[in-house]
Amino acid sequence: MIIRAHSSPNIALIKYWGNRNNEWRLPAADSLSMVLDFPTVRATIEPAEKFSVQSYDHNGIEKPQSETSIKRLQKHWALTKEFLHTIERDEGLPENISIVIHSGVPPAIGIASSAAVFSCLAEAYGALVQSNPLSQKEISILGRLGAGSGARNAWGGYVALENHGEGMGSAYGRQIARETDWLLHDIILVPDQKEKKIGSTEGHAMASTSRLFTERIRQIPRRMQECINALQTKDFEKLRNISEEDALDMHRVMETQNPPLRYLSDATHRIIRDIENLRSSDKLNVLYTMDAGPTVHLICTEDSLTTVEAFAEAQKDCIIFKAKTGGASHLKNI
Ligand code: DP6
């Protein structure tokens, strides 16, 4: 039995930063993101004698997997089996699998590559389950067990990751609006392709060492509500205010935790300043947001797209990706 699945990254509008349980990637607070249609990740899995992983990069070149990356994939498979056992859906699951990943997402530069990979695997693992298919909620939980933000790809469009009680399955996604409800564009500016030294997993575990963390957690429910309202009423100005407030707040937490994580570079700050100037003179519907890297996501409405693209293309030394609101992770027939 060969199973093939597809997925893509998502970009957070209200950021997930810090866990209440690191082992199960249970977030300390809720978060919300837009699923992107590009770049894509596809994974093929097959029951096998022993666990193995092969991975190809965005140029189709085989990428040797680090020990850490293999361990993380192996751990995700083990947690997947454990979760499916707790909900009594593990009948007939193979002991081991072989995985082949083709990723169009450059790793570790602030485009959620782990969300795309683990939500893709979650979709594929779900198809190993016999009798009734798993629900999207269960697929979302499987995604989260590999990368917290991977829970937000089990639906398309705009998806919240919310906490509900205790236990392995106690945080999962909920669709806030569909991709067809509001199409937004994400012009992604990558100023620096160096892989970051400290990734999100280590960063989440140290978030609570920031003196600003408690206040951040206190603010999230209000921000979530405002973001949900903005999305449901297609109020771009409201969306911009709340998502920029939250992105800058997350980076302040990162920069004040121990050890400090300074993901934003001079180029990031310059791009932010220039887009703020441009939008105030040209009345553009564009907002900026950054995940764990110097990459700037310029999210804009259709009517501002041409100007935002021209702005992006005028940036020296930046690689540009053009994406828009996308659909859920899904299986592909072979
Ligand atoms: C800054 O989901 O990448 O992008 O579970 O360790 O893989 P792991 O973390 P991950 O964290 C995402 C952090 C973020 C914000 C966000 O996407 O909400």
Side-chain angles (χ1 to χ4, degrees):
M1 182 208 293
I2 298 178
I3 298 165
R4 183 179 284 180
H6 271 219
S7 193
S8 50
N10 63 66
I11 176 64
L13 297 162
I14 302 296
K15 310 288 186 186
Y16 149 50
W17 194 246
N19 286 327
R20 60 189 162 97
N21 178 317
N22 290 316
E23 169 81 2
W24 290 342
R25 293 174 201 271
L26 289 170
D30 297 351
S31 59
L32 204 167
S33 63
M34 172 169 104
V35 177
L36 301 178
D37 67 338
F38 178 82
T40 53
V41 165
R42 55 198 164 86
T44 307
I45 63 159
E46 206 177 346
E49 284 282 290
K50 67 181 194 29
F51 186 89
S52 73
V53 188
Q54 264 177 298
S55 177
Y56 297 86
D57 73 6
H58 50 297
N59 297 315
I61 296 168
E62 185 165 3
K63 221 181 108 197
Q65 289 294 288
S66 68
E67 186 86 349
T68 323
S69 152
I70 295 173
K71 282 223 175 88
R72 180 167 176 181
L73 288 156
Q74 212 159 3
K75 178 78 184 269
H76 180 227
W77 171 240
L79 287 172
T80 294
K81 287 190 290 183
E82 191 181 334
F83 174 68
L84 292 175
H85 180 70
T86 62
I87 60 166
E88 296 176 14
R89 300 300 308 274
D90 61 336
E91 197 192 312
L93 279 189
E95 191 52 33
N96 276 310
I97 44 159
S98 66
I99 304 175
V100 180
I101 297 169
H102 289 265
S103 173
V105 189
I109 52 168
I111 304 181
S113 61
S114 62
V117 167
F118 286 101
S119 60
C120 194
L121 289 173
E123 198 69 44
Y125 294 165
L128 288 169
V129 172
Q130 292 176 351
S131 57
N132 299 330
L134 288 188
S135 65
Q136 278 166 291
K137 169 184 153 184
E138 288 155 346
I139 300 279
S140 167
I141 293 168
L142 294 188
R144 197 208 73 229
L145 291 170
S149 55
R152 301 186 307 230
N153 280 73
W155 294 262
Y158 303 87
V159 182
L161 166 57
E162 296 171 328
N163 283 302
H164 305 267
E166 300 294 322
M168 225 176 173
S170 67
Y172 45 86
R174 173 169 72 98
Q175 189 178 46
I176 301 301
R178 288 168 305 191
E179 59 273 38
T180 46
D181 291 335
W182 198 13
L183 179 83
L184 292 175
H185 294 267
D186 183 9
I187 305 303
I188 306 166
L189 280 169
V190 185
D192 182 351
Q193 290 230 63
K194 277 202 296 292
E195 290 205 18
K196 58 198 174 194
K197 288 194 206 80
I198 301 185
S200 308
T201 304
E202 286 169 76
H204 283 295
M206 301 308 285
S208 62
T209 61
S210 164
R211 60 187 159 74
L212 305 176
F213 185 67
T214 313
E215 181 56 20
R216 170 169 177 77
I217 299 301
R218 210 178 66 82
Q219 294 290 340
I220 295 279
R222 173 189 62 84
R223 291 188 192 142
M224 283 293 291
Q225 203 43 59
E226 279 183 38
C227 191
I228 290 170
N229 290 345
L231 289 168
Q232 290 178 339
T233 57
K234 299 194 206 178
D235 183 337
F236 194 86
E237 197 180 326
K238 195 171 192 177
L239 184 67
R240 185 188 77 198
N241 288 336
I242 203 64
S243 57
E244 290 182 359
E245 173 187 318
D246 187 70
L248 295 175
D249 180 59
M250 176 187 73
H251 283 280
R252 276 192 294 270
V253 169
M254 290 167 157
E255 286 161 12
T256 48
Q257 64 186 65
N258 189 9
L261 297 176
R262 296 191 185 89
Y263 288 127
L264 309 184
S265 66
D266 291 348
T268 314
H269 290 292
R270 187 186 46 72
I271 294 168
I272 292 177
R273 226 180 23 245
D274 290 352
I275 202 73
E276 278 176 342
N277 289 337
L278 183 68
R279 78 179 172 203
S280 63
S281 62
D282 285 24
K283 300 261 173 308
L284 290 179
N285 281 327
V286 60
L287 67 86
Y288 57 80
T289 189
M290 294 75 62
D291 280 347
T295 299
V296 184
H297 294 252
L298 295 176
I299 299 178
C300 66
T301 55
E302 186 82 24
D303 56 357
S304 296
L305 180 62
T306 316
T307 318
V308 173
E309 280 180 336
F311 169 86
E313 275 146 23
Q315 303 302 311
K316 282 200 257 32
D317 305 326
C318 277
I319 294 176
I320 304 172
F321 289 88
K322 295 180 186 179
K324 54 184 185 306
T325 326
S329 55
H330 56 276
L331 295 173
K332 273 273 185 215
N333 295 332
I334 300 199

